[in-house]
Amino acid sequence: MRYFRPNSLTWWAGCLAMLTGIASLALPATGPLSEISRLVALLAGSGDASPAGLVFLGLGLIGLRDRVERGFRGPR
């Protein structure tokens, strides 16, 4: 499990970006969950970032962190 690194800040930033993108897709703008939807919109930058962009950003951060770690170790 190379990509599962809960001790890494980059891993958590990637997870937060992915969860924000998924939540902005799934949560309705009105109804009983509207306050949570507003919080997710604030985390997403109030509409500046698309949900797909946030998901891809999160996946990219997780992959980039793994690649940088392997680069510093050198060839094996």
Side-chain angles (χ1 to χ4, degrees), residues 49-64:
S50 70
L54 287 169
V55 171
F56 285 120
L57 171 70
L59 290 173
L61 284 174
I62 291 171
L64 180 66

Side-chain angles (χ1 to χ4, degrees), residues 23-64:
S24 63
L25 280 172
L27 289 173
T30 60
L33 299 176
S34 64
E35 292 299 318
I36 296 173
S37 182
R38 283 184 27 194
L39 174 66
V40 169
L42 285 172
L43 289 173
S46 297
D48 291 340
S50 70
L54 287 169
V55 171
F56 285 120
L57 171 70
L59 290 173
L61 284 174
I62 291 171
L64 180 66

Side-chain angles (χ1 to χ4, degrees), residues 8 14-15 19 26 42 45 47 49 59 66-68 75:
S8 169
C15 286
L19 290 175
L42 285 172
L59 290 173
D66 179 64
R67 178 64 185 133
V68 167

